[in-house]
């Protein structure tokens, strides 16, 4: 079993839709969590950190569920420009950073 | 904004060649990382460095070495390139270990 697992998708949604991705992790000692966005043939870019209390940045909401060991990313009012691969990253307190394989989102007109 | 610059966007090398991939960051970050990204395998850590002249092995260091002679520069070396090292190589830096990486634009290496 992988340390960090994501549904690879693809998720195909119409503009304006709400879409949610989950990411599960196996190491209960994990301390910090992030979502990155990666466009086709480009480098990953930090989208947002994930805090225990949940956090929001515009149309994006990130949640953490430590009991069930998963993090989620919710995108509201999807735009064409949201089409990308979304990577979750989980860090342990030993400083190890593990990337998920990513979930691909395509937003269609 | 932090800028991480990788010297080459695309490289084609022959089997057995020694290959140097260069990475430079301009924000005085102490922490630098080399990853490779392959379809179905995600990003895998090759080597990282927390300070000048310091290096630590990541998850897949075999066949690679690194050099960090200056704080801003972290080089990845393929001692004798092989076809299974064909990949996208990504350099990253951060101010705090494993927090909020900034990636370079990547080097797509093909070994023939």
């Amino acid at each position: 079993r992988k340390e960090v697992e994501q549904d690879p998708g693809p998720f195909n949604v119409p503009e304006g839709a709400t879409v949610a991705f989950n990411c599960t992790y196996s190491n209960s000692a994990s301390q910090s969590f992030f979502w990155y966005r990666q466009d086709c043939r480009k480098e990953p870019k930090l989208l947002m950190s994930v805090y225990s209390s949940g956090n929001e940045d515009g149309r994006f909401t990130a949640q953490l569920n430590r009991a069930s060991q998963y993090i989620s990313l919710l995108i509201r009012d999807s735009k064409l420009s949201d089409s990308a691969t979304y990577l979750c990253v989980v860090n342990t307190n030993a400083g190890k950073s593990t990337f998920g394989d990513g979930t691909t989102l395509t937003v269609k007109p | 904004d932090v800028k991480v610059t990788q010297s080459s966007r695309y490289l084609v090398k022959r089997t057995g060649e020694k290959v140097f991939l260069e990475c430079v960051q301009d924000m005085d970050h102490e922490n630098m990382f080399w990853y490779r990204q392959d379809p179905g395998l995600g990003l895998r850590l090759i080597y990282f460095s927390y300070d000048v002249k310091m290096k630590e092995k990541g998850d897949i260091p075999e066949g690679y070495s690194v050099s960090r002679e200056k704080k801003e520069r972290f080089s990845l070396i393929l001692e004798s390139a092989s076809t299974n090292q064909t990949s996208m190589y990504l350099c990253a830096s951060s101010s705090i270990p494993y927090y909020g990486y900034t990636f370079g634009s990547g080097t797509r290496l093909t070994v023939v």
Side-chain angles (χ1 to χ4, degrees), chain A residues 36 38 41 43 91 95 97, chain B residues 9 37 98-99 101 104 108:
Chain A
Y36 283 73
Q38 186 171 24
R41 304 185 78 80
E43 74 275 19
N91 296 345
S97 201
Chain B
R9 191 83 174 93
Q37 186 175 29
Y98 298 99
Y99 188 92
Y101 293 159
R108 191 167 292 278

Side-chain angles (χ1 to χ4, degrees), chain B:
Chain B
D1 278 354
V2 177
K3 194 165 183 183
V4 179
T5 303
Q6 293 184 231
S7 53
S8 303
R9 191 83 174 93
Y10 297 96
L11 271 181
V12 180
K13 295 293 182 180
R14 294 194 180 277
T15 301
E17 277 193 77
K18 192 168 186 176
V19 181
F20 293 85
L21 303 183
E22 304 289 344
C23 175
V24 178
Q25 50 95 3
D26 66 0
M27 282 298 289
D28 204 35
H29 283 175
E30 289 171 346
N31 311 293
M32 297 188 74
F33 308 86
W34 274 106
Y35 284 86
R36 62 179 283 179
Q37 186 175 29
D38 302 285
L41 296 175
L43 274 88
R44 293 179 291 167
L45 181 63
I46 305 170
Y47 266 97
F48 59 98
S49 170
Y50 289 149
D51 203 349
V52 176
K53 305 231 185 243
M54 175 272 177
K55 59 187 178 185
E56 293 282 346
K57 291 180 180 179
D59 297 322
I60 52 162
E62 296 78 21
Y64 303 94
S65 62
V66 289
S67 171
R68 190 146 181 221
E69 297 295 319
K70 293 185 178 182
K71 191 174 186 179
E72 67 271 18
R73 186 179 296 270
F74 192 35
S75 303
L76 180 69
I77 304 153
L78 285 66
E79 299 292 343
S80 177
S82 63
T83 54
N84 63 12
Q85 292 179 310
T86 291
S87 186
M88 168 68 91
Y89 288 88
L90 289 158
C91 175
S93 76
S94 71
S95 55
I96 301 170
Y98 298 99
Y99 188 92
Y101 293 159
T102 298
F103 282 90
S105 56
T107 296
R108 191 167 292 278
L109 172 68
T110 302
V111 183
V112 298

Side-chain angles (χ1 to χ4, degrees), chain A:
Chain A
R1 184 189 170 193
K2 289 187 175 182
E3 288 185 53
V4 176
E5 295 205 65
Q6 295 183 249
D7 181 345
F11 284 65
N12 298 308
V13 302
E15 270 188 292
T18 295
V19 62
F21 311 132
N22 279 347
C23 169
T24 59
Y25 60 94
S26 60
N27 188 341
S28 58
S30 298
Q31 292 292 315
S32 55
F33 309 87
F34 305 89
W35 284 101
Y36 283 73
R37 170 201 169 118
Q38 186 171 24
D39 293 296
C40 189
R41 304 185 78 80
K42 296 282 185 84
E43 74 275 19
K45 293 187 177 177
L46 181 63
L47 181 65
M48 58 197 302
S49 305
V50 186
Y51 301 125
S52 297
S53 55
N55 49 297
E56 192 173 301
D57 182 2
R59 298 181 293 108
F60 297 82
T61 300
Q63 298 274 357
L64 166 63
N65 185 318
R66 284 192 185 272
S68 300
Q69 295 185 196
Y70 75 85
I71 63 172
S72 63
L73 178 68
L74 181 78
I75 305 175
R76 290 182 300 279
D77 189 23
S78 299
K79 312 290 185 193
L80 296 177
S81 57
D82 293 334
S83 297
T85 296
Y86 291 84
L87 306 170
C88 71
V89 181
V90 175
N91 296 345
T92 68
N93 58 2
K96 184 174 181 208
S97 201
T98 304
F99 283 75
D101 291 347
T103 297
T104 300
L105 171 66
T106 301
V107 181
K108 300 189 173 182

